[in-house]
Amino acid sequence: MTANGWFQVFFFFALVLICAKPLGVYMARVFERERTWTDNIFRPLERLIYRLTGIDETREMAWTEYAVVMLLFSLVTMLATYAIERLQHLLPLNPQHLAAVAPDLALNTAASFTTNTNWQSYTPETTMSYLTQMLTLAYHNFFSAAVGMALAVALIRGISRRESKTLGNFWVDMTRASLWVLLPGCVIYALLLVSQGVVQNFRPYDQATLVQPQTISTTGTDGKSVSQTVTTQNIAQGPVASQEAIKMLGTNGGGFFNANSAHPFENPTPLSNLMEMFSIFLIPAALTVTLGRMTRAPKHGWAVFAAMATLFFAGVFVAYYAEAQPNPLLHGVNQHVSETQAGGNMEGKEVRFGIANSALFATVTTDASCGAVNSMHDSFMPLGGLVPLVNIMLGEVIFGGVGAGLYGMLIFVVLAVFIAGLMVGRTPEYLGKKIESYDVKMAMLYVLIFPLSILGFSAVALMMPNLGLSSLANGGPHGLTEILYAYTSTTGNNGSAFMGLNANTHWYNLSLTAAMLIGRFLMIVPMLAIAGSLARKKLVPPSPGTFPVHTPLFTVLLVGVILIVGALTFFPALSLGPILEHLLMHAGKSF
């Protein structure tokens, strides 16, 4: 680790901290329907949308209606995405004449982008046409993020309101998230990315002649190795900057290219790398300020922010430390930092980013439910690869996805105040609302669904060698980590891949589809049930036994609950995966 590396980490976080408050206050005004400086631009467009769609913006919904409308909207858009993928060979904006997407892969991709997971079991530049990328995938990047923001705001309203039967209007919340926040941010952001060299065009792929022809070996139809001389290379391009902007700002992560943010057309410079990391954390961090402002408890919002920041820095430290260490299996090689080499483990990393920015990016993208990568997690040291895995296993609450991270964190807040109430022998309270058995049951249902999906699917895959193990590139604990990471990433709606696992098979496409739908929608329903329950409650005056939720003690308790409930649930699986691999690596064995 170097002083320069840590400076870049702290500089990045300082930018997030500086911008969180103004954006958070702005979003609170947007969702509380107070006047903002952008109303003159977006309010006429909003009225036009409601007039064309027949939406009554003054009508509010109970939590049950809010949930049903959200589920139906997601189902319809998912089916539309599936249809376009299957018909893309008949549709325009397909200069490469790409074929229709296979049924199981189309279903997996439709579910992936609908749930804000953006898991990709395919090579985008050779599978998806320009129209499919823009009309379905980029569309979902906007609206899956907007849905997450709407759900977070609905939960905040449940906390702030008293004796209310409604949580707002789903259509209004989603429209305002799209128009007032995501759309203007992406227009500016896309132009900044273009200035750094991110491509944005509709041209067919270019073909370049190699300066030095390459001889490669391929497997023929008879199974024998065949040598082939390659003299040209296709240079893929397309409308990348527009999709890259919402990919990051909406914590989506689905890359236009297979290499994702390691590709020079998606992330060409250190400055673009900083902008991409910053945009991943921007809205999730600002939503903690929105929480404090809408609940009239700004110090509580900052206490939640502090808990997220604590877990973030812990992850960065472990990942950076692990990747900066020499590989013990490389004997007689100088792996220390010098003027001529980065030192540590540079496998799977881009030279233009180095170890510090690779470890930071891996931590940021898995703290949020983004899934974009600028390095290959499969090539990290075992403890370095442990960090992205644990970040997702904690429930994607370390800032988390747009909206989803905040409502996931608030579930842990409910559990934290419940535990605090048990310790003092009083009915737990949260911002003047009594936390009762129904609320705790729904919170525990939310928490238990997550490991059940991850561990259940992983166990089934491990028990079926012909289905679950046949796609592995590695054996032993590393292979276990590859499978565990796939189901963790999809259930956590992260979408990043550990690599080393070919997930484009019937089994993985279908099982990962199920994991994504479970991780998104089955967990949303109990969350909205808690929001509806809290909204109906009366406010109770604070008493000497009330646990304050704005102090450092609350932050410590919240972090402890997250680690105990989240991390310890998966410790047995982790001990057989990256932890065991770390010990065996130091014993001289690799996988």
Side-chain angles (χ1 to χ4, degrees):
M1 296 190 289
T2 65
N4 179 56
W6 279 113
F7 170 77
Q8 294 179 69
V9 171
F10 285 111
F11 181 78
F12 153 77
F13 194 76
L15 286 178
V16 174
L17 183 60
I18 290 169
C19 297
K21 184 173 181 179
L23 179 58
V25 171
Y26 169 76
M27 288 194 294
R29 295 181 65 86
V30 167
F31 290 114
E32 289 187 315
R33 311 199 70 175
E34 299 175 6
R35 183 162 183 79
T36 69
W37 61 274
T38 54
D39 280 16
N40 291 336
I41 303 173
F42 299 118
R43 183 61 180 146
L45 182 57
E46 182 188 31
R47 290 196 187 101
L48 178 62
I49 292 172
Y50 297 152
R51 191 176 298 116
L52 293 175
T53 56
I55 294 171
D56 181 3
E57 62 179 308
T58 63
R59 178 180 174 275
E60 294 205 344
M61 302 175 179
W63 80 265
T64 49
E65 184 181 2
Y66 204 100
V68 169
V69 170
M70 180 274 301
L71 291 171
L72 289 175
F73 171 77
S74 300
L75 175 62
V76 171
T77 54
M78 177 178 162
L79 293 176
T81 299
Y82 176 83
I84 292 173
E85 290 180 75
R86 295 287 294 136
L87 298 172
Q88 75 171 9
H89 61 297
L90 303 175
L91 298 173
L93 285 177
N94 185 8
Q96 300 307 119
H97 306 291
L98 298 175
V101 182
D104 58 320
L105 180 59
L107 178 63
N108 180 276
T109 306
S112 176
F113 281 78
T114 302
T115 59
N116 198 241
T117 306
N118 308 97
W119 170 272
Q120 294 172 295
S121 294
Y122 58 91
T123 301
E125 59 264 44
T126 59
T127 307
M128 300 296 177
S129 69
Y130 291 166
L131 183 71
T132 304
Q133 294 268 24
M134 293 188 300
L135 187 60
T136 61
L137 308 188
Y139 163 87
H140 275 299
N141 285 350
F142 274 96
F143 284 105
S144 63
V147 168
M149 294 173 69
L151 293 167
V153 169
L155 179 55
I156 294 173
R157 289 199 190 103
I159 296 168
S160 62
R161 292 182 177 183
R162 51 185 170 178
E163 300 181 75
S164 173
K165 296 180 180 179
T166 60
L167 297 174
N169 187 306
F170 171 77
W171 303 117
V172 173
D173 291 338
M174 191 182 67
T175 301
R176 290 197 147 238
S178 302
L179 289 181
W180 268 260
V181 182
L182 296 173
L183 187 60
C186 286
V187 170
I188 298 170
Y189 186 18
L191 293 175
L192 290 174
L193 289 174
V194 169
S195 75
Q196 294 301 298
V198 179
V199 299
Q200 180 74 16
N201 60 47
F202 292 101
R203 294 173 51 185
Y205 294 174
D206 289 329
Q207 190 173 77
T209 301
L210 298 181
V211 175
Q212 294 181 333
Q214 303 291 315
T215 301
I216 62 173
S217 296
T218 59
T219 302
T221 56
D222 56 357
K224 296 181 179 180
S225 180
V226 179
S227 295
Q228 180 182 359
T229 300
V230 179
T231 60
T232 61
Q233 178 184 357
N234 282 335
I235 307 298
Q237 53 200 311
V240 181
S242 56
Q243 183 162 320
E244 191 73 16
I246 187 58
K247 157 191 166 181
M248 296 301 190
L249 197 63
T251 61
N252 294 283
F256 197 96
F257 302 106
N258 191 43
N260 210 282
S261 287
H263 197 291
F265 283 179
E266 286 198 30
N267 188 12
T269 68
L271 180 56
S272 69
N273 191 65
L274 174 62
M275 288 193 295
E276 293 190 6
M277 291 189 294
F278 168 74
S279 60
I280 293 172
F281 263 17
L282 180 59
I283 294 177
L287 279 171
T288 62
V289 178
T290 303
L291 166 69
R293 184 177 176 89
M294 291 181 67
T295 58
R296 310 298 185 265
K299 291 183 179 179
H300 172 57
W302 286 113
V304 172
F305 180 93
M308 294 176 172
T310 300
L311 292 167
F312 160 71
F313 277 111
V316 170
F317 176 81
V318 175
Y320 188 12
Y321 175 82
E323 294 309 299
Q325 299 306 302
N327 189 326
L329 299 179
L330 297 178
H331 303 290
V333 178
N334 184 1
Q335 300 180 62
H336 297 287
V337 179
S338 68
E339 294 180 355
T340 58
Q341 64 179 17
N345 176 35
M346 277 295 293
E347 181 187 345
K349 299 178 179 65
E350 291 294 308
V351 175
R352 66 185 185 276
F353 302 140
I355 291 175
N357 276 285
S358 298
L360 176 60
F361 200 111
T363 305
V364 168
T365 197
T366 51
D367 279 342
S369 63
C370 183
V373 295
N374 76 346
S375 57
M376 298 301 105
H377 299 172
D378 190 47
S379 296
F380 277 31
M381 302 288 275
L383 293 186
L386 173 71
V387 171
L389 184 56
V390 170
N391 284 344
I392 308 172
M393 286 177 170
L394 292 179
E396 295 279 280
V397 297
I398 311 174
F399 295 103
V402 169
L406 181 63
Y407 67 68
M409 176 61 84
L410 291 177
I411 297 297
F412 281 106
V413 168
V414 170
L415 294 178
V417 297
F418 172 70
I419 292 171
L422 291 180
M423 290 191 291
V424 298
R426 296 181 60 89
T427 301
E429 299 170 12
Y430 175 42
L431 294 178
K433 304 285 186 72
K434 288 186 178 294
I435 302 300
E436 299 171 307
S437 61
Y438 177 82
D439 308 307
V440 177
K441 289 176 183 176
M442 290 297 102
M444 287 308 303
L445 179 60
Y446 179 100
V447 170
L448 291 174
I449 288 172
F450 191 66
L452 180 62
S453 173
I454 294 171
L455 298 177
F457 279 119
S458 297
V460 173
L462 290 167
M463 293 297 292
M464 297 191 302
N466 293 332
L467 295 178
L469 302 182
S470 60
S471 297
L472 284 176
N474 303 90
H478 195 84
L480 171 62
T481 303
E482 291 171 352
I483 293 176
L484 191 63
Y485 195 102
Y487 289 109
T488 302
S489 179
T490 48
T491 303
N493 299 141
N494 181 272
S496 64
F498 203 69
M499 307 305 288
L501 172 69
N502 175 23
N504 192 9
T505 66
H506 289 295
W507 161 252
Y508 278 112
N509 278 333
L510 296 178
S511 62
L512 293 174
T513 296
M516 289 184 281
L517 296 175
I518 290 170
R520 178 74 163 185
F521 299 118
L522 284 191
M523 297 176 70
I524 283 174
V525 174
M527 181 277 294
L528 285 175
I530 293 174
S533 173
L534 292 175
R536 291 191 298 269
K537 296 180 187 289
K538 298 179 180 180
L539 286 180
V540 295
S543 66
T546 300
F547 182 62
V549 292
H550 60 272
T551 62
L553 179 60
F554 166 75
T555 298
V556 171
L557 177 63
L558 180 56
V559 170
V561 170
I562 293 169
L563 292 176
I564 292 172
V565 175
L568 292 186
T569 301
F570 296 100
F571 181 76
L574 294 172
S575 65
L576 295 174
I579 295 176
L580 177 59
E581 184 183 2
H582 171 76
L583 298 175
L584 291 174
M585 181 184 69
H586 282 273
K589 189 173 183 179
S590 64
F591 298 90

